Amino acid sequence: MAMRRRTLLKVIVLGDSGVGKTSLMNQYVHKKFSQQYKATIGADFVTKELQIDDRLVTLQVWDTAGQERFQSLGVAFYRGADCCVLVYDVNVLKSFDTLDNWHEEFLKQASPADPKKFPFILLGNKIDIDGGNSRVVSEKKAKDWCVAKGNIPYFETSAKEDINVDAAFLCVAKTALANEREHDIYFQTIPEAVTETEQGGGGCAC
Ligand code: GDP
Ligand code: MG
């Protein structure tokens, strides 16, 4: 009989202000989109329950305000994160160029046990704008960046048109879960979890 255990996964969404972090989360959790721009203040989270294989998972997704610098959010905010979602706007070069900083700063603040293996996911958002004619960052350029950072999964999304949003967050959940399972094995806290992980397929199927 498969073990039933609810797992809480902490996910942090980072990226420049205005790239669509809050909109992506709203689309994913509430199936809603608003043109209105409302700056996120401080940090807030939404949760979504989902089932992955035989596991009940609560995805706790933390939203941040892009203009906030890391220090002001505090180290406790990043500690215990299971996955970090980086977002940029395919129509704004600067939002792509700052990805390096977000990536680096996250690792500095969260200081995961194995920084090289910590799971990130990159989302190139707003692909709907002007039918793609105003985009300045090519898919290839984004994918090259992902390869350079250790094969980060990449999704092109539109929070407005609900393109790839579910797929991206499912990948987030699976990746976070796989990471969390590794912790379980490492610390040997829950022996049953080892049996479960041996079923394999921990990686993201996206
Ligand atoms: P945040 O600062 O990263 O949280 O960005 P927001 O989610 O607040 O979005 C900033 C602005 O971009 C808002 O006016 C949104 O309506 C708009 N926006 C977000 N995602 C998309 C998208 O996929 N397509 C389009 N056309 N607009 C978007
Ligand atoms: Mg926001």
Side-chain angles (χ1 to χ4, degrees):
M1 174 67 193
M3 180 178 58
R4 291 225 163 234
R5 183 161 70 92
R6 188 176 294 272
T7 307
L8 179 72
L9 298 173
K10 182 175 176 181
V11 176
I12 289 172
V13 183
L14 298 174
D16 281 4
S17 181
V19 296
K21 300 181 297 298
T22 305
S23 301
L24 284 162
M25 290 167 59
N26 276 339
Q27 182 59 264
Y28 179 57
V29 175
H30 306 297
K31 290 278 155 231
K32 271 191 204 145
F33 176 78
S34 159
Q35 284 295 350
Q36 230 179 354
Y37 180 71
K38 233 174 73 188
T40 309
I41 297 165
D44 202 359
F45 70 85
V46 291
T47 57
K48 175 123 171 169
E49 311 268 312
L50 62 168
Q51 185 159 355
I52 296 173
D53 303 329
D54 57 345
R55 293 279 284 267
L56 286 172
V57 170
T58 301
L59 205 58
Q60 186 185 66
V61 190
W62 285 84
D63 194 8
T64 56
Q67 68 274 25
E68 286 235 57
R69 290 334 285 176
F70 286 87
Q71 288 77 359
S72 56
L73 290 168
V75 169
F77 176 74
Y78 299 95
R79 201 171 287 146
D82 297 294
C83 181
C84 176
V85 180
L86 299 171
V87 186
Y88 78 99
D89 178 343
V90 300
N91 308 283
V92 180
L93 186 60
K94 193 183 161 289
S95 71
F96 180 78
D97 288 340
T98 52
L99 287 174
D100 273 330
N101 300 345
W102 290 114
H103 184 261
E104 212 174 285
E105 286 285 342
F106 175 84
L107 289 177
K108 205 194 280 177
Q109 296 291 327
S111 50
D114 189 350
K116 284 207 173 64
K117 278 175 73 184
F118 186 85
F120 286 89
I121 285 184
L122 179 64
L123 309 185
N125 192 38
K126 304 199 190 183
I127 58 165
D128 62 282
I129 291 188
D130 201 14
N133 288 318
S134 65
R135 76 180 285 164
V136 292
V137 181
S138 68
E139 191 172 354
K140 182 178 182 311
K141 190 171 174 173
K143 283 185 171 168
D144 285 350
W145 187 86
C146 288
V147 169
K149 296 290 175 200
N151 283 325
I152 295 178
Y154 177 59
F155 290 86
E156 303 228 307
T157 58
S158 165
K160 184 181 180 188
E161 307 288 340
D162 195 11
I163 299 169
N164 255 345
V165 178
D166 276 358
F169 278 99
L170 182 61
C171 184
V172 168
K174 285 185 174 177
T175 308
L177 190 60
N179 185 45
E180 204 248 2
R181 281 177 183 181
E182 280 181 21
H183 283 305
D184 281 355
I185 299 165
Y186 182 71
F187 292 111
Q188 295 282 310
T189 45
I190 306 155
E192 297 97 309
V194 177
T195 319
E196 211 185 353
T197 325
E198 277 168 359
Q199 290 167 2
C204 188
C206 47

